[in-house]
Amino acid sequence: MKFLYRIRILFQILFFLFFLFLFFQAVFPYKPVVPSEFFLQWSPLTALLTFLSSHRLYAGMIPAGVLLFLTIFLGRFFCGWICPLGALIDFADLFIKRKRKLRRDATTFRWLKFGILALLVVMALFSVQFAWFFDPLALTNRTFATTLYPMLAVLTESVFGWLWPIAFLQPALMSIHEFLESWLLPVNLHFVAQGIPIFLFFLGILLLNLISKRFWCRNVCPLGALLGLFSKFRILERTVDEEGCVSCKICPADCRMNAIEDNFVDFSKVECIDSLECVSTCPTQAVTYRFNLKDPKPSKIDFSRRRFLQSLGSGVLAAGLFKIDLVNRDVRGDHVRPPGALPEDVFLEQCIRCQACVRICSTTGGLLQPAWLEMGLEGIWSPIGNPREGYCEFTCNLCGEVCPTHAIQLLDLATKQKTRIGTAFFDHDRCIPWNSGDNCMVCQEHCPTPEKAIVFREGNFVTAEGTLKRVKFPYVKEDLCIGCGICVTKCPVEGTPGIFLTADGAEREEI
């Protein structure tokens, strides 16, 4: 029966490669074979909690519903066969040697994932959507978009930089670089804010393997808890030939979810992820998986009534604390959202911080970055514009196309090019014509609107010596500015630019 285990490993690798394929095809120009947001829409956790918090349904919830339906019959196969975070945890486990004193094979912390799920549900009912923090699909995509892929690009370019002085290698290096740039490396390196905390959180998940195999999946992951609830009555069961079982204790020792009971026969349908290790390692081949349509028996959920009530109370408390958070209006008003973003409250309820928009934006203008506290506690890691580092490309509307939850609505290009996400204003203390009396037209040259949103009016500039100087002073025509931010990006002033972008006038109606 080892071939079944090997098939499971093969599927796990193939699904992870599929995840990477979708990630890497999210570039400008966008010509997807499969929509890059497809994988992200398979999470029932984000689908459920965005629905509870926003009271909205969207087509992207359908795959999540299909997965829940299959889980009723097959159990938590998603965790063992498909989940990219699970695959990375299993891969990391190959390099981790657990110290005996750190082993925790008991079921002490199993309740925690159900507690987190209950807490998240209560928070969602109060319109605080926090699924994005724990959801394995959003978490994995976020880590790749903000740390792993940028690190890969920077380090690869560094290696090319080291080798380039070797003259006879240059033709080969150029060919290899062109090949990598065609599918892997970005045309321009993109640097992302919040990469370090996002990576440290991801690293912490992997290091939990020091305590036990798949500690995150066993005890923390609320998606695993949700799938476990639907697996309670699964009909695909692990069966043991009791006459063939020699009580060698191998299967419970190898089970990465600690789902096998002490009698080696019974198992927890709630915890089992169909990894098939017990089938593979059984020396007498006494373990098999079969469908039991006649008398499927439910498994117990390790979640006491007291823990449940404690989780509900914690959810109410957490939601209240998030709701009373005072957002600095000045800071919030200095940041723009992507074109097509829903009104702020709804946007925060539907955004799962997967950074898919940040990822694809990095291949065009590079305006979007993950926020920290600029938009308040609820806005952590949501996408905001940083126009000093990048701008919203006038010919691009891809952030709305790849958003898995439609927190960013897809605008057709003509509509997007007229949609205002903010308004630029000149800082007369920093702008070159206003401050030093020298002509500068960089902002106007880059303004992409058909009728320039930046115009000049000639006037007198009084120098420090008191003489008059004729200068072209720039002005923003607010009715034409769409807030793309390219004027801020291209401003040649070092440090604080001569023009800045605010969210003033942003159009965020739901279409």
Side-chain angles (χ1 to χ4, degrees):
M1 298 294 283
K2 286 187 178 180
F3 76 98
L4 288 176
Y5 175 73
R6 289 169 181 161
I7 288 176
R8 203 264 311 171
I9 296 293
L10 177 63
F11 269 85
Q12 196 176 25
I13 294 171
L14 290 176
F15 275 114
F16 184 73
L17 293 177
F18 182 55
F19 168 81
L20 290 180
F21 169 73
L22 296 182
F23 177 83
F24 283 120
Q25 72 168 358
V27 295
F28 180 87
Y30 186 52
K31 298 177 180 176
V33 178
V34 179
S36 62
E37 71 276 16
F38 177 73
F39 216 126
L40 294 167
Q41 293 174 331
W42 279 86
S43 171
L45 181 70
T46 55
L48 172 67
L49 296 187
T50 53
F51 169 72
L52 292 178
S53 58
S54 66
H55 307 146
R56 293 160 188 264
L57 294 170
Y58 51 87
M61 291 178 171
I62 295 175
V66 172
L67 176 60
L68 272 187
F69 179 74
L70 293 176
T71 302
I72 295 173
F73 303 99
L74 304 176
R76 290 173 58 181
F77 70 100
F78 174 84
C79 305
W81 291 60
I82 300 174
C83 180
L85 182 59
L88 287 171
I89 291 174
D90 285 345
F91 180 72
D93 196 55
L94 298 176
F95 305 96
I96 289 178
K97 185 177 181 181
R98 276 171 287 279
K99 293 184 178 179
R100 184 175 296 276
K101 63 181 180 181
L102 289 178
R103 287 180 178 173
R104 296 287 187 275
D105 294 331
T107 58
T108 308
F109 302 108
R110 271 185 185 173
W111 68 271
L112 184 59
K113 59 179 178 292
F114 298 105
I116 293 173
L117 176 62
L119 180 144
L120 294 178
V121 168
V122 172
M123 291 177 70
L125 291 173
F126 286 99
S127 298
V128 180
Q129 192 268 106
F130 209 62
W132 55 269
F133 190 77
F134 294 97
D135 182 76
L137 297 183
L139 192 157
T140 309
N141 201 73
R142 178 166 66 235
T143 306
F144 270 88
T146 59
T147 59
L148 297 183
Y149 177 66
M151 275 199 296
L152 172 68
V154 168
L155 296 178
T156 303
E157 293 290 355
S158 297
V159 171
F160 275 98
W162 297 337
L163 296 176
W164 186 253
I166 305 174
F168 72 90
L169 290 180
Q170 289 180 359
L173 288 174
M174 190 174 295
S175 299
I176 295 172
H177 193 275
E178 287 179 356
F179 170 71
L180 293 177
E181 204 172 65
S182 66
W183 65 279
L184 178 65
L185 295 178
V187 176
N188 298 307
L189 290 178
H190 184 67
F191 301 94
V192 186
Q194 299 300 311
I196 293 177
I198 290 173
F199 177 75
L200 289 178
F201 181 58
F202 173 74
L203 182 63
I205 291 173
L206 300 186
L207 291 179
L208 287 175
N209 277 14
L210 286 168
I211 303 174
S212 68
K213 290 181 180 178
R214 285 218 182 197
F215 184 93
W216 170 270
C217 310
R218 288 186 186 189
N219 306 302
V220 183
C221 181
L223 175 57
L226 179 62
L227 296 177
L229 294 177
F230 280 76
S231 301
K232 181 179 171 68
F233 297 94
R234 58 183 274 184
I235 59 173
L236 179 61
E237 293 189 346
R238 172 183 178 272
T239 40
V240 179
D241 178 1
E242 297 189 39
E243 293 183 0
C245 177
V246 293
S247 302
C248 62
K249 301 183 181 179
I250 292 177
C251 57
D254 283 349
C255 179
R256 58 190 63 236
M257 294 299 291
N258 196 26
I260 299 174
E261 304 294 340
D262 292 338
N263 62 5
F264 315 126
V265 176
D266 297 327
F267 78 112
S268 171
K269 294 182 177 180
V270 176
E271 303 297 332
C272 178
I273 59 171
D274 299 337
S275 65
L276 303 178
E277 283 171 309
C278 52
V279 177
S280 171
T281 57
C282 180
T284 60
Q285 297 186 350
V287 182
T288 57
Y289 273 75
R290 292 175 182 166
F291 287 100
N292 180 5
L293 297 172
K294 295 182 179 178
D295 185 26
K297 296 178 181 177
S299 291
K300 176 188 172 186
I301 296 174
D302 289 318
F303 195 39
S304 67
R305 183 180 302 174
R306 174 175 295 182
R307 297 287 193 193
F308 176 66
L309 294 175
Q310 289 173 344
S311 303
L312 295 184
S314 300
V316 173
L317 180 63
L321 291 173
F322 271 87
K323 283 296 182 184
I324 64 171
D325 178 49
L326 176 64
V327 181
N328 187 320
R329 290 176 59 189
D330 293 344
V331 176
R332 182 176 63 183
D334 286 341
H335 295 84
V336 299
R337 293 293 194 186
L342 290 167
E344 185 68 9
D345 290 345
V346 186
F347 178 78
L348 293 177
E349 290 164 1
Q350 290 199 205
C351 175
I352 59 171
R353 279 69 157 179
C354 62
Q355 309 301 326
C357 55
V358 173
R359 151 73 179 153
I360 204 161
C361 184
S362 71
T363 66
T364 56
L367 173 71
L368 299 179
Q369 293 280 347
W372 181 229
L373 292 171
E374 297 90 339
M375 312 303 275
L377 279 176
E378 284 193 74
I380 290 177
W381 294 347
S382 60
I384 58 172
N386 184 340
R388 197 55 172 151
E389 302 300 327
Y391 57 92
C392 183
E393 168 59 44
F394 191 64
T395 60
C396 174
N397 60 349
L398 296 181
C399 54
E401 192 159 347
V402 301
C403 180
T405 61
H406 306 301
I408 305 172
Q409 303 169 101
L410 176 58
L411 307 177
D412 63 76
L413 195 56
T415 304
K416 181 264 176 181
Q417 290 174 340
K418 298 175 184 174
T419 300
R420 182 187 294 185
I421 60 174
T423 308
F425 296 92
F426 281 101
D427 182 345
H428 291 188
D429 291 331
R430 300 291 297 167
C431 176
I432 293 174
W434 287 101
N435 181 49
S436 61
D438 296 319
N439 285 322
C440 175
M441 306 178 71
V442 173
C443 52
Q444 199 235 22
E445 288 173 349
H446 287 89
C447 182
T449 54
E451 183 180 351
K452 296 288 186 180
I454 295 176
V455 296
F456 292 94
R457 296 177 196 147
E458 195 167 280
N460 290 326
F461 178 83
V462 183
T463 66
E465 292 74 23
T467 59
L468 295 179
K469 185 178 180 182
R470 298 296 289 176
V471 176
K472 292 182 178 179
F473 294 108
Y475 294 84
V476 175
K477 295 186 72 173
E478 296 180 23
D479 58 328
L480 296 178
C481 180
I482 58 172
C484 69
I486 194 170
C487 50
V488 184
T489 310
K490 302 297 182 182
C491 178
V493 177
E494 287 293 331
T496 304
I499 189 168
F500 58 95
L501 183 63
T502 75
D504 186 38
E507 298 170 353
R508 298 183 62 177
E509 293 82 11
E510 189 172 356
I511 57 177

